[in-house]
Amino acid sequence: MSLIDKTHPLSRYHRDDLNRGGRSDSELARQWGLLEVISELPAGGVIAGSYQTVRLRYRVGSLGLDEDGGLALSFRFVSDVSPLQTTDPQADNYVSASTSGSADIELRFERKGSRRPFQRTLRVNVRNAGFTEGDEITLVLGDTAAGSRGWRQQTFVETPFPIRVAVDPFGTHLYQGLPRDLGWNIVAGPVARYVLNVPSHAVVGETVTLRLKAEDAWGNPLRDTSDGVPGLTLIKDGTRRPLEAPGRHDRGVWSYRLDFDEPGSYFFEATGETPSMSNGVRVVATAAELPEFGFHWCDLHGQSGETVGAGTIQDYFSFGRHFGFLDGSVHQGNDFQITLPLWEEIKQASNEAYQPGVFVTFPGYEWSGTTAMGGDHNVIYFEDDPPIYRSSGWLDSHPFEETAPLTELYRVLKSHNAMTIAHIGGRPAALTESDPEVEPLVEIHSAWGTFEWVYQEVFKRGFKIGFVCGSDGHKGRPGASYPGAGVFGTLGGLTCVLSKTRDRDGFWEALRRRRTYGTTGQRIVVETELNGCPPGAEVRAAQARIGVRVVGTSPLVAVELLRGTEVIRGVYPGAESSPDTLLLRFGGARVKGRARMVPWEGRITVSGTVIADAAMHGIYSPMYGITGQNERDLGFSCVTTGNLVNLELAFRDGLFGRLEFVSNVTDLEFELDSLGRQPTTLFEAPLDQRVEALVLERKGLPLELETAFELEIDHIEEMPYFLRVTQLDEGRAWTSPFYVARP
């Protein structure tokens, strides 16, 4: 809890506002003044997401502080620390100011008050007079005097959390950065859940590793769990037994070496107040029974503090491998922030993190052209020392086109072993053009949201393209990118790369051939082939058989086959049984760009029946969920960004009676006995905004499902066929399409 030393690894970035003129820190402080933290914050660090009161004192320097001059305290775009407010002293996040001089202070918080990445800014403006050397301004961030809980801190761990400080002594609106930032450490809170991970497949007798970590409510891993963990349970075919295996602890991760003596699907559970279950491992009798390609879990898109994120590039890869339980990752910084020296660091870090057989990386960056230029595209190289082709150098003192528009990027990349992935994040790819020589894949889910509208557009335009999902995480947590409390709306996604080897050669070949599928962050195993061909393949056949085996991480609600945008076949477990549960699903997006978030605030009221039990799924932030419940009604609060959430409701007297859904988006009423096993759409609007309901038998939902779809191919034009899997927890998976035509 101090000024951040200028030797901090990230201090050399984003400091173009600092003009030292050869002067020392002490001389700059004498002239420009000094801002200090004067309150006592927890010595061990501030718990992520907690409410605090932070007192700051600025002592005016020899230049003084003229009328219309002031201070600027800037927070990074990536930080989800609560915006400060100046109007309601009883509400949270209230900031107040007092002075020892005769001038007045006006406070104003601006969402984009300073240059990226330190955009969110508290302005401390001087009014009606000026300050002289030695005068003091005291700021109370999270003033609790009138009843506020304080100022909510950012929800992800960081050492330190930085605040950029600048001063304008002359009232020119030209702010000069003080030589050191403010900062304090953000640390993880208490254990909220355990995350367990096993490989997707194994052979009887083969030794595999079960890994376990503890997370707080915001998804931060606890770095010290050496005191132990709850008991572990092995689950197979509904039978449970204690797992007795010695564990080894390493920096917050426990590892257990296991082998299996018979085939089947195995799951593991950490028992405790909140039981946590692993993904499933499908164990086969012999290696010949394994799928042709290995299942390798990757986050191909995220960035760190050198651009707009948090932490260092080295931290990014280390987290992905150790805490993200990933098999591979790619760093994707915004190109207009990447200088040539930084590009050298990115390449070096990417190459150093690569460990064949263990962890696969590629050098890469995000080509961040405006929508008019073609929109965001991830660039990945199968080269150790490639050049960077930026869309522009807008934040690198070169505000001009460099390699643009998108067609020019495609052209220059053809001379390299390179590919692009159309990216839908804050700034979506325009999707007006695609070059199959360079661009084999498109992203349909990230922490920004779910983008099923993307495949609707690319199919309409005739693009032949596969599917991936990633995080586009800015918090330095690839493989575990939780939304927190800011602009991100959901859990970051994962890409399963289907490759015979865990190395660059194998992954590159799989990516180029579209042999991938994406999930909303869960490690859902989807084994599928069409007439013996893997996802992404081009198939010519008069008849097609699509075999499917799914091992979920939550009970399975639907396995659907789509041709283009149309669901043509589906398996809905429990359809023939007696339904006992209502699933009310809602979500969607407002627009395709950054402002896509849809808030949902409302209540459900029932008549003619009584609510016996309720749960809300698809929520990954403790800010949201069920807000109150009794026998007749319950409240809910959440946000969606293209994804869906659901309310799972059981009723004491069965599925009879009437339900009223009242929200800020839409109001609905319906009879419970009017619903079927497949979703009934009750409300819909563009970009997948909808409310739908279905009924099911809760105990009839399996974790594993095997089926096949038999088709007659009656079209000579090539058409995309792909699978979509939906779980009870709203986890989803989309396979890359098979491109099929009749010969």
Side-chain angles (χ1 to χ4, degrees):
M1 184 181 64
S2 63
L3 297 175
I4 298 175
D5 190 272
K6 60 188 177 184
T7 61
H8 184 268
L10 300 179
S11 66
R12 67 190 189 278
Y13 300 106
H14 324 310
R15 287 319 311 246
D16 54 305
D17 60 345
L18 178 57
N19 181 13
R20 287 181 169 275
R23 292 166 175 79
S24 66
D25 284 0
S26 59
E27 175 60 18
L28 292 175
R30 186 189 70 78
Q31 293 192 36
W32 297 347
L34 182 66
L35 185 67
E36 299 176 291
V37 180
I38 59 173
S39 56
E40 288 297 326
L41 293 175
V46 172
I47 291 178
S50 65
Y51 285 84
Q52 303 290 335
T53 297
V54 181
R55 290 177 171 80
L56 307 176
R57 180 179 61 209
Y58 174 71
R59 185 174 291 110
V60 179
S62 62
L63 293 178
L65 207 57
D66 255 357
E67 183 177 4
D68 293 333
L71 299 172
L73 279 66
S74 297
F75 312 90
R76 288 166 311 153
F77 157 77
V78 66
S79 177
D80 58 5
V81 64
S82 278
L84 293 161
Q85 56 94 8
T86 63
T87 57
D88 185 355
Q90 295 182 315
D92 295 339
N93 310 307
Y94 180 68
V95 56
S96 65
S98 59
T99 75
S100 64
S102 58
D104 296 327
I105 291 294
E106 175 188 86
L107 300 175
R108 184 173 73 253
F109 190 84
E110 301 174 353
R111 188 175 71 89
K112 287 196 172 183
S114 293
R115 177 173 168 170
R116 176 188 173 112
F118 284 84
Q119 292 161 289
R120 306 163 73 201
T121 299
L122 175 66
R123 298 277 180 199
V124 183
N125 297 319
V126 181
R127 297 289 185 254
N128 302 322
F131 292 105
T132 60
E133 184 175 9
D135 285 342
E136 295 181 352
I137 300 171
T138 300
L139 301 172
V140 183
L141 283 56
D143 192 335
T144 60
S148 163
R149 288 181 293 177
W151 179 34
R152 187 186 50 73
Q153 301 296 285
Q154 79 177 25
T155 68
F156 59 93
V157 167
E158 189 172 18
T159 307
F161 157 68
I163 303 175
R164 178 63 40 81
V165 185
V167 61
D168 173 18
F170 297 97
T172 61
H173 205 69
L174 177 62
Y175 284 82
Q176 180 63 53
L178 297 186
R180 294 191 182 182
D181 299 332
L182 288 175
W184 48 86
N185 294 342
I186 305 291
V187 299
V191 175
R193 59 182 167 266
Y194 293 91
V195 177
L196 299 89
N197 170 262
V198 285
S200 299
H201 297 87
V203 177
V204 167
E206 175 188 6
T207 300
V208 300
T209 300
L210 166 68
R211 293 177 290 181
L212 180 149
K213 64 177 177 177
E215 291 181 341
D216 70 7
W218 299 99
N220 297 298
L222 278 70
R223 308 278 169 154
D224 184 7
T225 55
S226 56
D227 291 339
V229 296
L232 297 175
T233 300
L234 182 150
I235 306 167
K236 180 179 182 291
D237 298 329
T239 301
R240 308 166 66 92
R241 62 179 174 85
L243 177 66
E244 298 178 359
R248 181 177 64 86
H249 180 262
D250 177 22
R251 296 170 293 147
V253 174
W254 283 84
S255 299
Y256 304 85
R257 304 285 282 171
L258 310 173
D259 56 49
F260 306 93
D261 55 12
E262 62 180 9
S265 292
Y266 294 78
F267 299 83
F268 301 88
E269 186 178 82
T271 55
E273 291 186 13
T274 306
S276 306
M277 193 173 71
S278 71
N279 62 297
V281 52
R282 190 168 80 84
V283 179
V284 296
T286 66
E289 299 174 60
L290 289 171
E292 180 182 1
F293 301 100
F295 284 52
H296 307 279
W297 295 95
C298 303
D299 187 346
L300 302 175
H301 187 185
Q303 52 187 309
S304 55
E306 290 85 353
T307 50
V308 76
T312 66
I313 307 168
Q314 292 78 13
D315 294 337
Y316 171 86
F317 285 122
S318 176
F319 185 102
R321 178 175 169 180
H322 186 70
F323 285 114
F325 302 152
L326 293 176
D327 301 315
S329 188
V330 181
H331 186 276
Q332 290 282 320
N334 295 108
D335 64 350
F336 52 68
Q337 289 184 255
I338 299 178
T339 62
L340 289 178
L342 177 55
W343 177 236
E344 294 301 315
E345 291 184 39
I346 291 171
K347 290 185 292 185
Q348 180 178 346
S350 300
N351 291 329
E352 289 176 351
Y354 174 46
Q355 187 174 347
V358 178
F359 190 68
V360 179
T361 63
F362 297 96
Y365 67 96
E366 182 184 299
W367 187 88
S368 302
T370 62
T371 303
M373 298 163 73
D376 287 352
H377 286 70
N378 300 128
V379 177
I380 304 176
Y381 288 101
F382 190 11
E383 299 176 9
D384 288 342
D385 189 24
I388 183 171
Y389 297 104
R390 304 188 304 181
S391 58
S392 80
W394 196 260
L395 290 183
D396 183 30
S397 303
H398 190 258
F400 311 104
E401 280 188 357
E402 293 186 355
T403 303
L406 179 61
T407 51
E408 178 63 11
L409 177 68
Y410 290 152
R411 187 189 69 79
V412 298
L413 289 180
K414 288 178 182 179
S415 63
H416 295 276
N417 206 355
M419 74 172 69
T420 64
I421 299 174
H423 158 51
I424 313 298
R427 181 191 305 103
L431 300 178
T432 54
E433 52 202 333
S434 181
D435 190 322
E437 291 186 53
V438 181
E439 190 160 276
L441 301 163
V442 65
E443 176 187 81
I444 59 172
H445 175 90
S446 73
W448 289 99
T450 300
F451 320 116
E452 289 202 290
W453 58 266
V454 166
Y455 64 69
Q456 298 169 15
E457 290 204 11
V458 300
F459 293 158
K460 181 175 64 177
R461 297 181 186 278
F463 300 164
K464 187 180 293 185
I465 207 156
F467 297 157
V468 296
C469 299
S471 68
D472 193 12
H474 292 21
K475 301 168 186 173
R477 302 190 300 196
S481 191
Y482 291 86
V487 297
F488 296 99
T490 189
L491 182 67
L494 294 173
T495 293
C496 187
V497 177
L498 304 176
S499 168
K500 292 184 178 180
T501 57
R502 189 179 300 170
D503 55 26
R504 284 181 172 176
D505 292 274
F507 279 28
W508 191 259
E509 187 261 349
L511 294 171
R512 289 294 307 173
R513 292 179 178 270
R514 305 182 295 268
R515 204 166 57 240
T516 59
Y517 69 90
T519 79
T520 52
Q522 301 78 15
R523 301 189 185 213
I524 305 168
V525 173
V526 184
E527 299 177 25
T528 186
E529 59 180 24
L530 189 156
N531 292 359
C533 299
E538 301 170 18
V539 182
R540 300 293 176 263
Q543 291 85 32
R545 183 183 189 277
I546 303 176
V548 188
R549 182 196 292 268
V550 179
V551 181
T553 61
S554 171
L556 298 169
V557 172
V559 176
E560 297 169 307
L561 175 65
L562 288 84
R563 180 174 59 207
T565 61
E566 177 190 4
V567 177
I568 60 170
R569 299 284 181 86
V571 176
Y572 304 93
E576 304 302 322
S577 56
S578 300
D580 56 13
T581 300
L582 168 69
L583 211 60
L584 191 60
R585 310 175 73 211
F586 50 96
R590 195 178 70 83
V591 296
K592 295 178 180 178
R594 288 187 181 88
R596 62 177 61 89
M597 186 176 287
V598 179
W600 295 82
E601 304 283 341
R603 295 199 72 78
I604 286 173
T605 304
V606 299
S607 56
T609 189
V610 170
I611 299 172
D613 196 13
M616 197 165 186
H617 303 295
I619 303 294
Y620 301 101
S621 168
M623 293 179 63
Y624 305 117
I626 294 173
T627 57
Q629 176 186 345
N630 58 41
E631 290 186 339
R632 296 293 181 183
D633 65 11
L634 63 81
F636 61 88
S637 172
C638 67
V639 297
T640 62
T641 50
N643 57 302
L644 296 178
V645 301
N646 74 54
L647 284 162
E648 177 193 352
L649 301 169
F651 302 96
R652 189 179 65 192
D653 303 316
L655 292 167
F656 301 98
R658 191 167 186 80
L659 185 145
E660 182 181 12
F661 177 96
V662 177
S663 76
N664 60 303
V665 177
T666 187
D667 298 340
L668 303 163
E669 283 188 81
F670 56 89
E671 298 292 333
L672 293 175
D673 61 4
S674 69
L675 301 173
R677 178 61 186 83
Q678 296 189 37
T680 298
T681 300
L682 305 169
F683 164 80
E684 59 183 336
L687 294 176
D688 294 325
Q689 281 193 58
R690 68 183 187 271
V691 179
E692 63 185 31
L694 66 152
V695 294
L696 49 84
E697 184 187 30
R698 178 66 169 81
K699 68 179 181 180
L701 299 180
L703 282 169
E704 186 174 8
L705 184 152
E706 186 173 6
T707 190
F709 301 109
E710 305 279 353
L711 304 172
E712 292 288 332
I713 306 302
D714 58 2
H715 48 84
I716 58 173
E717 72 279 13
E718 193 172 67
M719 298 190 71
Y721 290 75
F722 67 97
L723 295 166
R724 179 175 65 194
V725 176
T726 303
Q727 300 189 145
L728 181 65
D729 66 356
E730 291 299 340
R732 280 189 153 190
W734 300 264
T735 67
S736 285
F738 305 97
Y739 288 91
V740 184
R742 189 179 183 91

